[in-house]
Amino acid sequence: MIKRTAIFLLLILFAPNAWALTIDRVTSESGIEAWLIRDTTLPIISMSFQFLSVGDRADPEGKEGATGIMAGLLTQGTKSHSQQEFQQLLTDNAISIGFSTDNDAISGSLRTLTENKKLAFALLKDALTEPRFADGDIERFRAQVLAAIKREDDEPESLANKTWWKTAFNGKAYGRYADAQSVKAITRDDIIARHAAAFDSGRLIIGVAGDISAEELSKTLDDIFGALPHKAERPDIAATAIPMAPARKTIVIDRDIPQTYAMFGQMGVLRNDPDFYPLYVLNHIVGGGNFSSLLVEEVREKRGLAYSVYSSLDPYAETALIQGSVATKRESFAESKAQIVDVWAHAADNITAERVDAAKKFLLGSFPLRFSSTAQIANILVAIQRDKLGIDFLQKRNALIQSVTKDDIIKAAHKYMDPDKLLFVIVGKYSEEPKGDNDK
Amino acid sequence: MRALRLALLFLFVFAAPAFAQYTPIHDFKLANGLQVVVIENHRMPIISHMVWYRVGAIDEVNGKTGLAHFMEHLMFKGTKTVPAGEFSKRIAEVGGTENAFTSYDFTAYFQQLSRENLETAMRLEADRMQNLSLKSDDIEKERLVILEERRSRVDNDPGAQLMEEVSPVLYGASPYGRPLIGYADKIAKLSQDDIMDFYKAHYAPNNAILILSGDISLDDAQRLAEKYYGALPAFDIPARKPQTLSPAAPSRTVTKQSKLVSQKSYYRMHKMPSYGLLPEGDLLPYALQIWSEYLGGGGASLLYQEFAVRRKIATSFGVSYDPGRVGETSFSFYATLADTVGEKEFVRRFNASIDAALSKPIPPERLSKIKRQLAQEYIYAQDSNFHQAYVYGQSLAQGRSVTDIQSWPARIAAVTDKDLEKAATLIKRTRPVAAWLKPAPGGRNN
């Protein structure tokens, strides 16, 4: 029995033209739901899914990395196939199946040609429900993870990023990281426990795009996910964000490299916050635009201080940030930092009607570009479900941005953008300018 | 008997529903020599608009390294009618994303936008093809930006520094041995005259390829290409210096030690011919691609299994071979060592296993599976407007034809055991350059 509870034909009107995307809400016989955009341009099917609230933050104390390792091992051997066999089946049939984790969720993806879909779906089911977790594969994977951790600490960008999060959250919640000690402490039992805790279809959201019908998808959902327990509840959308710790303003990791790299950031707003859209447009003006943001203008275009400087608005499940980065030669880094702080301090003053208009034009006009490949479309369908934006979101989205006023944005700038709240993590050589009072 | 087996193999390969082109491709040329490729994909009303110039780092002369890349940056800095920075502003205003990139063989500029705004991009791109007008102030600022870019890509990255040291050893005096972004002291000296001379010498419609990929018909593409690019005059382009395979590399190991690195990585690189150095349709570069896939194409590949899974001497391993170049290229093996293996032991085992693998034929069943896999991957390349535009633009800029590109799966399928043996022998007979990236003694103190 197929339960198709709703079919929405979405007509989004852009200036004179309209484009239509049909999202099918497909429900399987056992109640597993997926959102589908069918497209037969190519014989390709892409599936994207997330198991919510069982990401890295769910790792037990002292075992940071366990969920990530468990997820990575799902494609490294199952009850029916050894690591080599499983990988060979994927490669030989041009099937991609992958899993990854972040703080909030375990994500998975599948891409297959139509002609190989039966095998692809069977392998995905296999990986999810019957991973082998062989000792040899665990040890090999552990060694790769330990190598990756070493590399992270070698590279200024990843070191700055890791240090920023650890500092901002005092090593808890979003500030926990796997290290050599925690990774070495993870046992096979830990991995099995993470697997048992994670894969419940009660916390599963799925997006599918490409060459498959709703009827067929309905059956496929049960084939792949039907055997999973369905005991968990879908987690609620968070009402408040976990705050950053009162920050030490500037942390410097001294390193003898020619170019100094910094990550900076402060609190933002959750996805469903009423201030989200004003802040979204504000961030585009401040540092999100490609070549026309305040940060790029002041740091790169006017002064040639950096090749890359930007900011981005990043809501997560239970916290939200505005983060950015910059890289400048060591002799001039203090000047870059001063410019960034200045942009932050005077953001409200620089919100002109012209900038608001240009930002909106870009954000509205570039929306269709996100729907280029089947994989991108599947990911968007997951994001809409994750943030509970509604099946009519694609229809509403542009109006939500269009309705943001210049005053809304100025208010948001005054309310949120505070250079005194910025946490800077700097990797490289850094000395404060003698007369700078921005860095205290 | 062998002929019969070959015939059966051929039948098997053609029975598979592979080499299909789901997104129709058209190509034509304007009177001024501009090559145009149209790729139709009507999934969404969006389009990728790309202009590829057949000019890159290999065309730099008199030690002016970094000139092609600097040129690319300066293409955003104003024309006679469009002030510096306006190009990007106008594209953003119509909801377009954009960027550009430089390589050894080509420089490319692209925008992605809704179909209804395509003409904005075409107008602007055609304008800067021949109307660039630069201010010295803008040039100086962009010079600073490029030096920061070099710092990010090279000065802060020991692996990139190693490659900058290895390339001239591997490629000798060939332009592929020089850094793409240029040496800092050379970047510092490039003058406005250098830049404008380079621009006038290379930026012409008869030295360019226009790609329109997405929601567009052939009729519209012809009309719009003519409307915006048709009036640009062609002019004589200096002939590209013919590329040849440079003399054999010396038997050397280049070592870089760095405090910023905490693991050992090893590279074995063989100078190899590319499509550009061989007659069209020669199967050698296709055989090399199959070897690359077989030896190191992923977690199930022969040598990954041996080094990372069975012997546990590496935590990562791969093979790379880029056949697309106009001139010479390399067939390279690389690995990050496991903590537990010594350097001498690693190199001994690494080389022995590679040579042994190259000395045996690829098992027939494995070979036919690889061929099928590669043919299937050809379909994925068509999923995204941008990706297909990129593939066609790059290949054409490097001297391929549309037929060449579409013949790829068939040529892969046509590779025989003899072709594979010839390719393997070439690798074994080509003296490699080896390289180490190692932690410095004393290490990092943070």
Side-chain angles (χ1 to χ4, degrees):
Chain A
M1 191 203 21
I2 305 149
K3 269 164 59 182
R4 273 163 75 178
T5 51
I7 301 169
F8 289 91
L9 181 71
L10 305 170
L11 276 165
I12 296 101
L13 290 150
F14 282 96
N17 280 4
W19 50 279
L21 278 180
T22 310
I23 300 184
D24 274 348
R25 196 202 304 261
V26 176
T27 313
S28 75
E29 208 166 303
S30 75
I32 295 172
E33 182 178 306
W35 290 13
L36 166 69
I37 287 180
R38 185 175 191 191
D39 179 274
T40 53
T41 308
L42 285 145
I44 295 175
I45 301 166
S46 285
M47 180 183 290
S48 181
F49 55 90
Q50 285 195 349
F51 288 88
L52 299 172
S53 77
V54 286
D56 299 327
R57 280 191 297 141
D59 285 339
E61 283 296 323
K63 308 271 183 167
E64 289 79 7
T67 305
I69 288 177
M70 182 277 292
L73 284 168
L74 295 174
T75 53
Q76 303 294 312
T78 64
K79 284 225 172 70
S80 0
H81 302 296
S82 71
Q83 184 264 353
Q84 180 170 24
E85 282 165 8
F86 193 90
Q87 289 288 316
Q88 198 71 86
L89 283 167
L90 292 179
T91 318
D92 287 350
N93 296 284
I95 296 167
S96 320
I97 293 175
F99 295 87
S100 64
T101 64
D102 60 29
N103 272 307
D104 295 330
I106 299 174
S107 297
S109 66
L110 173 149
R111 188 178 66 165
T112 180
L113 296 176
T114 309
E115 70 190 74
N116 299 324
K117 65 186 170 188
K118 266 188 88 166
L119 175 61
F121 297 147
L123 289 174
L124 176 56
K125 179 200 173 153
D126 218 16
L128 268 173
T129 56
E130 302 202 304
R132 192 179 279 205
F133 296 144
D135 286 326
D137 296 323
I138 292 176
E139 288 323 304
R140 187 186 69 257
F141 203 77
R142 192 198 307 270
Q144 283 170 14
V145 170
L146 290 169
I149 289 172
K150 277 192 186 160
R151 228 175 10 253
E152 272 173 15
D153 294 341
D154 287 342
E155 289 163 8
E157 292 86 347
S158 43
L159 178 62
N161 185 65
K162 191 190 291 201
T163 309
W164 195 96
W165 284 90
K166 278 171 147 174
T167 308
F169 292 94
N170 274 337
K172 296 196 186 358
Y174 283 90
R176 294 168 68 205
Y177 270 86
D179 58 22
Q181 187 180 12
S182 70
V183 168
K184 283 177 185 164
I186 295 164
T187 64
R188 186 170 189 271
D189 283 344
D190 292 326
I191 292 167
I192 290 172
R194 293 317 309 144
H195 181 263
F199 297 123
D200 184 301
S201 50
R203 59 170 74 92
L204 174 60
I205 55 177
I206 306 168
V208 181
D211 184 23
I212 187 166
S213 69
E215 277 93 335
E216 187 179 352
L217 179 58
S218 172
K219 289 196 214 84
T220 301
L221 292 174
D222 275 339
D223 289 342
I224 299 172
F225 302 106
L228 297 177
H230 193 120
K231 301 196 202 105
E233 294 259 308
R234 170 78 194 264
D236 287 328
I237 299 286
T240 54
I242 298 172
M244 279 170 65
R248 264 186 63 194
K249 305 297 172 35
T250 302
I251 291 185
V252 181
I253 300 173
D254 183 73
R255 193 171 274 193
D256 192 11
I257 45 181
Q259 187 185 59
T260 300
Y261 178 88
M263 182 162 152
F264 52 88
Q266 59 153 91
M267 285 301 286
V269 298
L270 294 171
R271 185 63 181 82
N272 62 344
D273 191 294
D275 286 332
F276 177 81
Y277 284 104
L279 207 45
Y280 182 61
V281 183
L282 171 62
N283 176 72
H284 186 82
I285 294 170
V286 169
N290 204 6
F291 286 107
S292 57
S293 68
L294 293 167
L295 286 177
V296 168
E297 279 169 23
E298 296 300 322
V299 178
R300 174 170 163 159
E301 297 298 289
K302 282 189 190 163
R303 295 173 176 86
L305 288 170
Y307 170 66
S308 168
V309 61
Y310 73 91
S311 71
S312 88
L313 181 63
D314 300 318
Y316 297 94
E318 290 189 85
T319 194
L321 300 156
I322 306 171
Q323 291 177 312
S325 77
V326 66
T328 296
K329 66 184 187 294
R330 62 214 272 184
E331 304 84 347
S332 305
F333 180 80
E335 201 189 338
S336 281
K337 183 170 178 286
Q339 288 303 327
I340 291 166
V341 169
D342 200 59
V343 164
W344 226 258
H346 299 113
D349 304 332
N350 285 309
I351 308 300
T352 60
E354 202 188 49
R355 283 190 194 271
V356 172
D357 188 53
K360 280 188 185 181
K361 281 195 171 123
F362 175 78
L363 292 172
L364 296 172
S366 63
F367 192 48
L369 301 178
R370 302 193 201 177
F371 297 85
S372 179
S373 69
T374 51
Q376 277 178 300
I377 296 170
N379 286 341
I380 289 174
L381 292 173
V382 166
I384 298 173
Q385 291 176 78
R386 180 195 65 214
D387 296 333
K388 291 200 171 153
L389 302 174
I391 200 159
D392 57 347
F393 175 69
L394 296 182
Q395 191 176 21
K396 290 189 323 211
R397 184 258 186 193
N398 277 2
L400 287 164
I401 290 178
Q402 191 68 277
S403 68
V404 171
T405 67
K406 184 179 123 182
D407 281 341
D408 293 334
I409 298 172
I410 292 173
K411 253 194 230 143
H414 282 303
K415 185 172 173 187
Y416 293 102
M417 296 200 57
D418 183 351
D420 285 339
K421 296 217 169 92
L422 277 176
L423 167 64
F424 268 86
V425 171
I426 299 171
V427 177
K429 285 292 175 194
Y430 172 63
S431 58
E432 298 184 12
E433 275 180 328
K435 66 176 172 73
D437 61 358
N438 299 332
D439 311 319
K440 299 213 178 67
Chain B
M1 198 52 195
R2 191 159 175 275
L4 176 63
R5 242 181 44 220
L6 263 174
L8 288 174
L9 182 63
F10 215 55
L11 273 175
F12 168 84
V13 165
F14 274 111
F19 323 145
Q21 185 65 39
Y22 293 90
T23 53
I25 314 267
H26 317 284
D27 67 301
F28 56 92
K29 222 178 199 171
L30 298 186
N32 60 12
L34 179 71
Q35 227 183 328
V36 186
V37 176
V38 184
I39 303 165
E40 289 190 61
N41 182 332
H42 302 282
R43 172 186 285 152
M44 286 288 292
I46 59 180
I47 189 150
S48 292
H49 168 248
M50 301 186 89
V51 174
W52 294 69
Y53 293 93
R54 287 187 201 89
V55 65
I58 64 171
D59 303 293
E60 293 161 355
V61 294
N62 299 329
K64 295 185 198 279
T65 59
L67 182 51
H69 175 245
F70 202 169
M71 183 76 252
E72 178 231 301
H73 274 243
L74 292 173
M75 283 285 274
F76 293 84
K77 294 302 180 182
T79 69
K80 295 174 188 153
T81 52
V82 177
E86 264 299 298
F87 183 101
S88 300
K89 256 204 188 122
R90 293 187 195 180
I91 296 294
E93 259 173 24
V94 296
T97 58
E98 51 133 4
N99 217 320
F101 47 84
T102 312
S103 186
Y104 284 101
D105 301 331
F106 52 77
T107 312
Y109 303 84
F110 63 91
Q111 304 82 35
Q112 304 213 83
L113 348 87
S114 292
R115 170 66 180 88
E116 60 182 347
N117 295 311
L118 172 60
E119 296 192 48
T120 303
M122 294 182 82
R123 182 181 307 118
L124 287 165
E125 197 61 72
D127 174 47
R128 68 179 175 178
M129 188 185 281
Q130 291 194 339
N131 297 317
L132 202 67
S133 172
L134 300 174
K135 296 205 169 70
S136 102
D137 202 38
D138 290 329
I139 295 176
E140 290 318 307
K141 288 220 200 82
E142 205 58 24
R143 195 193 305 273
L144 297 176
V145 171
I146 288 173
L147 290 169
E148 290 301 338
E149 187 183 350
R150 197 196 137 85
R151 284 182 195 103
S152 302
R153 292 194 196 279
V154 185
D155 302 339
N156 260 25
D157 184 342
Q161 286 159 40
L162 174 64
M163 286 305 131
E164 230 177 54
E165 286 172 47
V166 169
S167 294
V169 175
L170 183 59
Y171 295 119
S174 148
Y176 292 99
R178 306 189 298 241
L180 191 45
I181 197 167
Y183 294 110
D185 61 334
K186 298 288 191 244
I187 294 170
K189 291 208 199 78
L190 295 172
S191 69
Q192 185 154 3
D193 282 344
D194 290 329
I195 288 155
M196 291 315 288
D197 288 345
F198 193 79
Y199 177 68
K200 287 184 204 136
H202 297 286
Y203 278 66
N206 48 311
N207 201 31
I209 301 129
L210 168 66
I211 314 280
L212 292 165
S213 175
D215 187 23
I216 191 165
S217 67
L218 175 59
D219 283 344
D220 279 348
Q222 285 170 322
R223 183 179 53 83
L224 292 171
E226 189 56 49
K227 178 176 178 187
Y228 291 102
Y229 292 94
L232 296 168
F235 50 85
D236 283 335
I237 303 288
R240 228 171 190 178
K241 214 164 118 199
Q243 296 292 322
T244 54
L245 202 65
S246 58
S251 176
R252 257 183 70 184
T253 302
V254 180
T255 299
K256 180 162 187 78
Q257 289 185 306
S258 169
K259 288 203 175 91
L260 307 174
V261 156
S262 45
Q263 288 161 118
K264 297 179 183 175
S265 297
Y266 185 71
Y267 305 80
R268 170 175 151 170
M269 306 170 68
H270 300 258
K271 184 152 54 187
M272 276 291 129
S274 57
Y275 292 143
L277 292 182
L278 294 163
E280 193 187 303
D282 188 314
L283 291 181
L284 175 64
Y286 298 89
L288 287 168
Q289 288 170 73
I290 290 177
W291 274 113
S292 169
E293 190 59 41
Y294 172 65
L295 294 173
S301 65
L302 185 81
L303 291 177
Y304 179 87
Q305 285 290 315
E306 180 164 346
F307 296 142
V309 178
R310 284 200 303 278
R311 294 182 187 276
K312 307 188 214 310
I313 59 174
T315 54
S316 73
F317 169 78
V319 179
S320 87
Y321 171 63
D322 168 22
R325 275 189 178 171
V326 169
E328 57 196 13
T329 184
S330 74
F331 192 99
S332 303
F333 305 87
Y334 51 89
T336 300
L337 276 65
D339 285 339
T340 48
V341 66
E343 288 176 25
K344 278 208 177 72
E345 167 63 22
F346 175 84
V347 173
R348 194 193 59 77
R349 172 41 58 192
F350 193 67
N351 288 334
S353 297
I354 290 171
D355 294 336
L358 288 169
S359 305
K360 289 195 275 276
I362 299 179
E365 207 200 274
R366 185 97 307 274
L367 177 60
S368 70
K369 285 201 168 142
I370 289 174
K371 288 179 175 184
R372 179 170 164 262
Q373 169 210 334
L374 294 176
Q376 290 178 123
E377 284 174 9
Y378 182 75
I379 299 176
Y380 286 129
Q382 301 170 41
D383 195 18
S384 138
N385 286 347
F386 179 72
H387 189 126
Q388 249 201 316
Y390 193 103
V391 167
Y392 274 82
Q394 176 172 342
S395 305
L396 289 163
Q398 289 177 311
R400 313 284 91 69
S401 66
V402 171
T403 314
D404 258 332
I405 298 166
Q406 299 190 310
S407 302
W408 184 83
R411 288 177 184 157
I412 288 283
V415 168
T416 62
D417 284 339
K418 201 153 173 224
D419 296 317
L420 291 164
E421 196 187 329
K422 191 168 153 216
T425 304
L426 181 59
I427 298 171
K428 284 187 294 181
R429 287 196 183 145
T430 304
R431 195 160 58 203
V433 172
W436 278 104
L437 183 62
K438 293 194 228 185
R444 248 192 298 114
N445 50 16
N446 59 29

